[in-house]
């Protein structure tokens, strides 16, 4: 059996590859779609909020580029420096994309019960909290 890190990396790479392909027809990538979802959830979100929310998904340079892309492509606008809000066109386009993503999610979890999915998420969350807390020491026993 391969270790969990192997499967985490493969899963993330596969999700990104498939979502990028799915979203390409809309002029989006997985990361730009994630930026739009942050902005939709918090209209008037700051760049800092986007970076904080998505910091585990991409580095600062990639996030800054994704923010520029959603503004340049008309999905979002800047009502004031450093703030983001969806445009009316962006909101409508994001609604269409969200429907496609819902079908994608169903395909991704095919054959996985809601209980199994919940267990997987809780285990990964616990592992992350373990790793982000105090340094993990090797057992001497």
């Amino acid at each position: 059996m391969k270790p969990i890190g192997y499967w985490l990396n493969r899963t993330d790479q596969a999700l990104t590859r498939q979502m990028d392909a799915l979203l390409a027809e809309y002029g989006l990538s997985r990361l730009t779609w994630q930026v739009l979802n942050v902005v939709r959830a918090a209209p008037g979100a700051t760049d800092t909020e986007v970076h904080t929310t998505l910091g585990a998904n991409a580095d600062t340079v990639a996030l800054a580029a994704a923010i520029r892309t959603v503004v340049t492509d008309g999905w979002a606008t800047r009502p004031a420096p450093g703030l983001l809000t969806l445009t009316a066109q962006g909101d409508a386009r994001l609604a269409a994309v969200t429907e496609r993503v819902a079908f994608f999610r169903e395909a991704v979890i095919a054959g996985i019960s809601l209980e199994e999915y919940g267990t997987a998420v809780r285990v990964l969350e616990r592992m992350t909290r373990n790793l982000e807390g105090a340094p993990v020491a090797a057992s001497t026993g």
Side-chain angles (χ1 to χ4, degrees), residues 55 75 80 88 113 120-121 127 131 136:
W75 291 82
S113 71
V121 170
M127 288 177 71
L131 291 166
V136 178

Side-chain angles (χ1 to χ4, degrees), residues 4-136:
I4 195 163
Y6 172 86
W7 289 112
L8 286 171
N9 288 330
R10 287 235 1 229
T11 301
D12 187 57
Q13 290 168 5
L15 282 170
T16 298
R17 188 174 47 253
Q18 293 293 325
M19 284 204 69
D20 284 352
L22 172 81
L23 297 171
E25 72 180 85
Y26 298 97
L28 293 172
S29 66
R30 182 182 182 196
L31 187 57
T32 53
W33 174 78
Q34 290 168 331
V35 168
L36 291 171
N37 279 290
V38 171
V39 175
R40 175 186 262 174
T46 65
D47 287 21
T48 300
E49 289 172 303
V50 172
H51 281 265
T52 300
T53 303
L54 299 176
N57 301 38
D59 62 32
T60 304
V61 172
L63 282 168
I67 290 169
R68 276 192 309 277
T69 297
V70 300
V71 171
T72 301
D73 290 354
W75 291 82
T77 189
R78 290 197 177 278
L83 298 181
L84 295 160
T85 189
L86 290 181
T87 62
Q89 179 186 17
D91 191 50
R93 291 167 66 195
L94 188 55
V97 171
T98 300
E99 289 180 30
R100 294 284 305 274
V101 172
F103 290 116
F104 172 77
R105 285 182 173 154
E106 287 180 29
V108 169
I109 63 169
I112 300 169
S113 71
L114 291 176
E115 182 179 315
E116 290 173 312
Y117 181 83
T119 298
V121 170
R122 285 188 300 277
V123 167
L124 292 172
E125 180 181 9
R126 216 171 321 142
M127 288 177 71
T128 300
R129 293 192 191 289
N130 290 345
L131 291 166
E132 289 178 346
V136 178

